[in-house]
């Protein structure tokens, strides 16, 4: 849902100080909580206090098209660069995020393989839990996914389905991570995919034998990891360059990323 | 409608009257221009989607999965010559019609009976409580109904009302998780009925008491007098209420996006009782669910095409309502 929540951040400095330069960001709703925290921290640093932020949401594709048209300084994207993207854009990877496969708490499925996921979400070949290896329950599978416009859908397709589109119907195309989580919580036969931050209250299934945790995602053992990007038109310059440089290099930024996401190093 | 033309001509024209007249006229014109501009804008945006698909856009026989078609449109290459537009919106149109008609038909019946009860049969004490409650209900935001639906009704239907056999019978075609057009109709009915009750209550109250007294004095009982005189005289108001409710139902997006299952699927009446719990996402909910894709030009045009179909439906609806009310007004004094 493209709820555009505007958020302005201003550093607490005396009004006598010179007018601050504003860095504008728009884009992915998944990256939004991360970039907000990063910006809050940066404007308290020595370099950052000359700048202010204006941060908008709207979705990865909104961010990419905004930055390409010069409407914002940084576009936030939770998906990889695509063939159809406008030319001249530079994608700077700032963090990683894990996508977890989830089921209802009563369905303590331990592990799922890439082949099984593909059989459930594409075709579908598997329509009953009895077809899924080592599934503790039987009955129809209710696959729940995301709408085609979401970055999570794009990442799920590229990482888990090998580039094939999910078959819908029967896969439900929900509008947000939260609706997928809620749908899986209330339907014992459901299976869905969400960002790691939305995996509470459900059974998180191991993917190819590896648990979906921050630690495993950071160590590259977990396969379902996607990247968050800051997108700029051409190489970043000025304040944007300083901000992105700080996000990539500083320990403070790394600590913020490490709370719910996977730092790059 | 009687106008004041004669009066105006008789007296000398008052300057402040003239100014007010001009101002109000200008405001009315601005509104008209805005509406016309909006319609032109939406249609100009939507045009490529209609021209590329022709009649298949609306055709029930075109086939294909609407969600997969939307995915392909969203993934169009950047070159405008290679834009993908192929799309057959029938499941969405069918779903919109099914949910809207279902809710309006059930809602009208409920509203009429409740209004009759409130006006004619309810003791004054109950009347005093019922009327404010009904008006309050009419003002509840739809997202609250959506939350109740998704947290309470959908899980209940999915886990207690749908048998495993029913789920198996459509496995692989569509998932029966409880989120369905039937639940959508149920909640939508609850949403639109209060406003209809309020309108019909006002209309029944406006029927001159003498008309009913007359029929009762001729020996007709209370129920029959009500049905043949009051309700008949209130028919234009009932139509007006139905039109207003239909407009709200047509445009309802958030609640339906939450409870109807997020699947572009045309429920099949031949499936028997399962038909009512099959998921089906209407046009307005599709726009809300996919608004993130507005940055892709052909996808934006497709969403505008959905919007223009809703606009046209709303226009026909108010025109139809106006025509029916004009025909019925011959038998009534009702102001609406």
């Amino acid at each position: 849902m493209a709820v555009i929540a505007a958020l302005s951040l201003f550093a607490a400095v005396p009004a006598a100080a010179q007018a601050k330069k504003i860095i504008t960001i728009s884009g992915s709703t998944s990256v939004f909580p991360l970039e907000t925290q990063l910006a809050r921290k940066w404007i308290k640093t020595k370099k950052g206090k000359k700048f202010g932020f204006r941060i908008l949401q709207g979705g990865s594709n909104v961010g990419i098209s905004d930055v390409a048209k010069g409407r914002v300084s940084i576009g936030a994207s939770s998906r990889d660069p695509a063939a159809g993207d406008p030319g001249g854009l530079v994608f700077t990877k700032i963090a990683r995020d894990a996508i977890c496969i989830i089921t209802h708490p009563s369905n303590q499925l331990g592990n799922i393989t890439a082949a099984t996921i593909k059989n459930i979400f594409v075709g579908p070949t598997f329509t009953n839990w009895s077809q899924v290896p080592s599934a503790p329950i039987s009955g129809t599978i209710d696959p729940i996914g995301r709408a085609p416009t979401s970055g999570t859908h794009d990442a799920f397709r590229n990482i888990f389905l090998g580039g094939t589109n999910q078959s819908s119907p029967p896969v439900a195309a929900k509008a947000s991570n939260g609706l997928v989580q809620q749908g899986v919580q209330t339907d014992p036969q459901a299976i869905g995919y969400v960002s790691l931050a939305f995996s509470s209250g459900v059974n998180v299934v191991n993917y190819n034998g590896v648990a979906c945790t921050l630690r495993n995602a950071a160590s590259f053992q977990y396969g379902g990891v996607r990247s968050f990007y800051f997108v700029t038109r051409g190489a970043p310059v000025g304040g944007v360059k300083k901000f992105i440089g700080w996000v990539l290099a500083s320990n403070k930024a790394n600590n913020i990323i490490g709370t719910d996401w996977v730092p790059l190093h | 409608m009687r106008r004041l033309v004669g009066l105006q001509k008789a007296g000398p024209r008052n300057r402040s009257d003239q100014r007010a007249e001009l101002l109000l006229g200008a405001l009315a014109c601005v509104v008209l221009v805005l509406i016309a501009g909006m319609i032109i804008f939406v249609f100009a945006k939507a045009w490529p989607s209609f021209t590329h698909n022709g009649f298949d856009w609306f055709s029930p026989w075109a086939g294909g999965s609407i969600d997969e078609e939307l995915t392909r449109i969203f993934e169009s290459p950047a070159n405008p010559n290679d834009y993908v537009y192929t799309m057959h919106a029938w499941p969405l149109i069918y779903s919109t019609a099914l949910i809207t008609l279902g809710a309006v038909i059930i809602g009208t019946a409920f509203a009429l009976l409740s209004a009759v009860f409130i006006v004619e049969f309810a003791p004054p004490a109950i009347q005093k409580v019922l009327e404010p409650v009904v008006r309050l209900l009419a003002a509840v935001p739809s997202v609250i109904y959506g939350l109740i639906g998704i947290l309470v009704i959908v899980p209940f239907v999915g886990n207690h009302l749908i048998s495993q056999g029913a789920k198996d019978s459509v496995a692989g075609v569509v998932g029966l998780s409880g989120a369905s057009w039937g639940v959508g109709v149920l909640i939508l009915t609850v949403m639109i009925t209060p406003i209809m009750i309020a309108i019909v209550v006002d209309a029944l109250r406006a029927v001159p008491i003498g008309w009913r007294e007359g029929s009762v004095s001729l020996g007709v009982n209370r129920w029959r007098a009500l049905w043949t005189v009051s309700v008949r005289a209130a028919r234009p108001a009932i139509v007006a209420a139905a039109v207003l409710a239909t407009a709200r139902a047509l445009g309802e997006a958030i609640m339906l996006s939450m409870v109807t299952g997020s699947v572009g699927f045309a429920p099949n009446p031949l499936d028997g009782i399962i038909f009512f719990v099959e998921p089906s996402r209407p046009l307005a909910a599709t726009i809300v669910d996919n608004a993130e894709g507005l940055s892709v030009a052909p996808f934006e045009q497709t969403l505008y095409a959905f919007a223009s179909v809703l606009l046209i439906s709303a226009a026909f609806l108010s025109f139809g309502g106006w025509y029916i009310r004009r025909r019925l007004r011959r038998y009534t004094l009702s102001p609406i």
Side-chain angles (χ1 to χ4, degrees):
Chain A
M1 262 176 264
V3 180
I4 312 253
L7 181 81
S8 305
L9 302 168
F10 297 103
V13 289
Q18 61 177 63
K20 281 196 280 291
K21 289 178 191 131
I22 301 290
I23 295 175
T24 46
I25 306 180
S26 79
S28 169
T29 47
S30 311
V31 188
F32 178 75
L34 174 60
E35 72 205 13
T36 312
Q37 289 181 38
L38 288 173
R40 274 210 182 103
K41 196 81 182 178
W42 189 60
I43 53 177
K44 285 180 192 144
T45 65
K46 208 172 171 187
K47 271 185 190 165
K49 68 184 175 193
K50 293 188 198 110
F51 296 90
F53 278 89
R54 188 161 298 127
I55 303 180
L56 300 145
Q57 301 188 57
S60 298
N61 294 288
V62 172
I64 289 169
S65 89
D66 277 355
V67 77
K69 287 174 184 157
R71 291 198 203 115
V72 294
S73 357
I74 300 174
S77 169
S78 63
R79 66 158 172 82
D80 292 337
D85 287 341
L89 296 181
V90 175
F91 282 67
T92 311
K93 195 183 284 186
I94 55 157
R96 282 192 298 266
D97 176 43
I99 295 178
C100 302
I101 305 295
I102 55 171
T103 59
H104 190 266
S106 71
N107 176 12
Q108 290 287 334
L109 178 66
N111 183 43
I112 197 163
T113 62
T116 311
I117 292 177
K118 202 166 176 179
N119 280 330
I120 292 173
F121 281 88
V122 182
T125 322
F126 288 2
T127 57
N128 198 298
W129 280 105
S130 54
Q131 293 166 292
V132 176
S134 73
I137 65 163
S138 63
T140 331
I141 302 175
D142 293 335
I144 303 181
R146 293 288 307 277
T149 49
S150 89
T152 311
H153 167 273
D154 183 76
F156 177 75
R157 181 189 51 189
N158 292 335
I159 299 167
F160 292 84
L161 300 183
T164 336
N165 277 321
Q166 63 191 24
S167 303
S168 184
V171 180
K174 300 285 181 191
S176 72
N177 273 308
L179 284 174
V180 176
Q181 184 188 21
Q182 199 279 334
V184 171
Q185 266 172 356
T186 51
D187 180 358
Q189 292 163 339
I191 183 167
Y193 55 86
V194 287
S195 193
L196 178 60
F198 293 86
S199 59
S200 57
V202 289
N203 173 47
V204 181
V205 186
N206 293 0
Y207 170 58
N208 286 342
V210 184
C212 181
T213 58
L214 271 183
R215 182 189 293 263
N216 287 340
S219 66
F220 291 102
Q221 281 172 300
Y222 185 73
V225 174
R226 61 165 165 174
S227 301
F228 284 171
Y229 297 93
F230 277 165
V231 187
T232 47
R233 193 159 61 162
V237 289
V240 173
K241 187 181 176 185
K242 284 177 193 158
F243 176 55
I244 295 181
W246 176 83
V247 168
L248 295 177
S250 109
N251 280 333
K252 279 180 189 159
N254 236 21
N255 289 340
I256 292 173
I257 296 171
T259 53
D260 269 315
W261 301 272
V262 186
L264 296 179
H265 46 82
Chain B
M1 229 191 281
R2 244 174 286 127
R3 301 225 170 122
L4 295 172
V5 180
L7 198 76
Q8 256 177 17
K9 276 187 182 156
R13 298 266 285 183
N14 180 324
R15 244 166 217 280
S16 64
D17 267 5
Q18 250 176 330
R19 270 203 298 270
E21 200 174 292
L22 274 175
L23 184 71
L24 293 178
L27 279 177
C29 289
V30 167
V31 171
L32 282 181
V33 168
L34 276 179
I35 292 174
M38 190 178 75
I39 291 174
I40 292 168
F41 176 77
V42 168
F43 271 89
K45 283 273 191 188
W47 195 243
S49 179
F50 291 126
T51 50
H52 278 77
N53 289 296
F55 184 67
D56 278 353
W57 204 99
F58 303 94
S59 167
W61 300 279
S65 153
I66 180 71
D67 285 332
E68 284 167 23
E69 286 157 2
L70 284 177
T71 310
R72 281 193 284 276
I73 294 172
F74 180 68
E75 284 160 1
S76 292
N79 181 355
N81 295 327
D82 301 335
Y83 282 171
V84 179
Y85 284 103
T86 311
M87 193 210 32
H88 311 126
W90 173 249
L92 308 180
I93 299 170
Y94 172 69
S95 166
T96 310
L98 198 63
I99 293 174
T100 306
L101 285 180
V104 170
I105 290 170
I106 301 172
T108 309
F110 262 98
L112 186 57
L113 295 175
S114 323
V116 162
F117 174 74
I118 290 176
V119 173
E120 292 290 332
F121 299 101
I126 294 182
Q127 229 176 59
K128 260 187 200 148
V129 179
L130 266 183
E131 277 205 68
V133 167
V134 163
R135 279 168 210 270
L136 181 74
L137 274 178
V140 175
S142 65
V143 68
I144 292 177
Y145 287 111
L147 278 178
I148 295 171
I150 201 170
L151 293 175
V152 181
I153 302 176
V154 166
F156 176 79
V157 171
N159 299 334
H160 300 287
L161 296 188
I162 305 175
S163 69
Q164 193 51 54
K167 288 184 184 181
D168 287 341
S169 70
V170 289
V173 181
V174 70
L176 301 183
S177 64
S180 54
W181 75 271
V183 174
V185 165
L186 182 77
I187 302 177
L188 199 54
T189 307
V190 175
M191 278 174 59
I192 63 177
T193 307
I195 188 84
M196 294 167 90
I197 296 178
I199 294 175
V200 179
V201 162
D202 286 347
L204 287 179
R205 289 244 165 85
V207 175
I209 189 83
W211 293 16
R212 286 221 2 267
E213 279 173 350
S215 60
V216 171
S217 68
L218 289 173
V220 179
N221 68 21
R222 199 174 168 192
W223 175 253
R224 208 172 155 75
L226 171 88
W227 217 241
T228 50
V229 178
S230 293
V231 171
R232 202 167 266 223
R235 278 188 308 188
I238 296 169
V239 173
V243 167
L244 201 65
T246 314
R248 183 164 187 200
L250 260 183
E252 181 46 49
I254 294 291
M255 184 280 286
L256 290 177
S257 143
M258 289 163 94
V259 305
T260 56
S262 308
V263 178
F265 176 77
N268 185 355
L270 299 180
D271 287 350
I273 198 83
I274 301 174
F275 170 62
F276 295 99
V277 289
E278 283 175 342
S280 181
R281 188 188 57 216
L283 284 167
T286 306
I287 297 177
V288 165
D289 281 359
N290 293 287
E292 210 183 304
L294 281 175
S295 58
V296 178
F299 198 81
E300 182 193 18
Q301 286 155 343
T302 305
L303 291 192
Y304 271 104
F306 296 156
S308 64
V309 169
L310 286 176
L311 255 183
I312 284 288
S313 316
F316 270 101
L317 186 70
S318 35
F319 181 75
W322 167 80
Y323 182 74
I324 295 173
R325 282 207 306 283
R326 209 188 55 163
R327 303 272 323 241
L328 291 175
R329 204 175 282 147
R330 281 181 286 178
Y331 311 107
T332 180
L333 282 179
S334 170
I336 300 173

